[in-house]
Amino acid sequence: MTFSDVVPPVGLGTMGLAGGSGRETVATALELGYRHLDTAQIYENEAVVGDGLRDALDRGVVDRDEVLVATKVWVDELRAERFRESVETSREKLGVDTIDLLYLHRPRGPYRPETTLPLFDGVRDDGLVDHVGVSNFTVDQLEVARRHLAAPLVAHQTEYHPLFRRPALLDDAREHDYAVVGYSPLAGGRVFDLDPVVAIAEARDVSPAAVSIAWLRAKGLAVVPKASSREHLRANLAAADLTLDEREVARIDAIEVEEELYPE
């Protein structure tokens, strides 16, 4: 197994999920076959994700060891005096003994590779965390991170969709064997207005959302689209089985517009 195999290809993006409806969405996703839950401290919904997971576990929908639970440490918690407590709090909110994948959310604020990354090694060594990842890094920042991180870098989460492409990040992942996880794979709904994506969707009798996810999967990314209805949850998961041909992939690659939704 390579580290890119650790991350299931389609996960549930949970930003914005809240309350009872959010808990129900998480539980429904697991019922439908999702095995990857993605949240973050800054989303303020780790407890909601944990409640949905516990609901699914209690009903026998899934076993705990089948689900990758990922969260991210926000920049406010990267100082040594706050870091471990924040990870413990995340673990308690999620209701898990071990966080399967812990990301460094953004390399800014108090982030210093030589002092911050050993903190991630420490919580992994102590069993609070199973795998370590980073998010929103450049290739240069990834190279520096690998020099200061003793644990294997298992995943890099980054914005990636037909309007925001970073092939150099994919090249780096292939060279160093880690998963790239694309967030906002539907470009905040903009894929529904992109002519090449819409044309392929019409020809395939699928949705533009499915085409965008399939395009990302063709490039080797895992994806964490957001959805709340059972219909959309099911469709996003099924999109991983859609295979685009080289001409269709190239047609989307040729989109000239670039729009980053979540810049620094």
Side-chain angles (χ1 to χ4, degrees), residues 167-218:
L169 293 176
L170 307 187
D171 292 340
D172 188 77
R174 283 188 287 267
E175 180 180 353
H176 295 283
D177 182 28
Y178 59 86
V180 180
V181 181
Y183 68 81
S184 297
L186 309 184
R190 290 161 178 80
V191 296
F192 292 92
D193 298 316
L194 294 176
D195 290 344
V197 176
V198 172
I200 294 168
E202 291 175 348
R204 292 293 199 112
D205 194 25
V206 297
S207 73
V211 171
S212 188
I213 291 171
W215 174 78
L216 287 158
R217 291 295 301 137

Side-chain angles (χ1 to χ4, degrees), residues 74-76 78 104 106-112 137 141 263-264:
W74 186 239
V75 296
D76 291 348
L78 292 178
L104 193 163
R106 283 192 180 273
R108 60 180 176 85
Y111 172 67
R112 300 292 181 273
F137 274 48
Q141 289 168 334
E264 283 287 344

Side-chain angles (χ1 to χ4, degrees), residues 38-60:
D38 181 78
T39 185
Q41 292 174 349
I42 195 66
Y43 300 170
E44 298 184 344
N45 67 357
E46 289 171 316
V48 172
V49 173
D51 287 346
L53 173 62
R54 183 165 53 254
D55 180 34
L57 293 174
D58 289 347
R59 291 189 290 113

Side-chain angles (χ1 to χ4, degrees), residues 61-210:
V61 168
V62 67
D63 292 331
R64 171 66 186 94
D65 60 5
E66 295 177 321
V67 183
L68 181 85
V69 179
T71 192
K72 311 175 196 72
V73 179
W74 186 239
V75 296
D76 291 348
E77 309 296 339
L78 292 178
R79 292 182 176 85
E81 64 270 20
R82 300 184 60 163
F83 177 82
R84 180 175 289 264
E85 182 179 353
S86 83
V87 176
E88 289 275 17
T89 299
S90 290
R91 191 168 63 100
E92 291 169 4
K93 288 180 176 179
L94 289 165
V96 297
D97 293 330
T98 303
I99 297 170
D100 300 307
L101 174 55
L102 184 70
Y103 292 101
L104 193 163
H105 203 146
R106 283 192 180 273
R108 60 180 176 85
Y111 172 67
R112 300 292 181 273
E114 65 277 10
T115 55
T116 306
L117 293 169
L119 299 175
F120 283 77
D121 283 324
V123 293
R124 179 177 179 269
D125 291 343
D126 292 343
L128 278 68
V129 170
D130 198 6
H131 298 297
V132 172
V134 296
S135 184
N136 300 297
F137 274 48
T138 65
V139 170
D140 289 344
Q141 289 168 334
L142 286 161
E143 182 178 351
V144 172
R146 284 190 290 269
R147 293 204 297 266
H148 293 282
L149 187 65
L153 181 66
V154 167
H156 175 219
Q157 187 169 139
T158 182
E159 179 178 343
Y160 217 106
H161 47 73
L163 293 176
F164 193 70
R165 307 177 295 274
R166 289 296 180 266
L169 293 176
L170 307 187
D171 292 340
D172 188 77
R174 283 188 287 267
E175 180 180 353
H176 295 283
D177 182 28
Y178 59 86
V180 180
V181 181
Y183 68 81
S184 297
L186 309 184
R190 290 161 178 80
V191 296
F192 292 92
D193 298 316
L194 294 176
D195 290 344
V197 176
V198 172
I200 294 168
E202 291 175 348
R204 292 293 199 112
D205 194 25
V206 297
S207 73

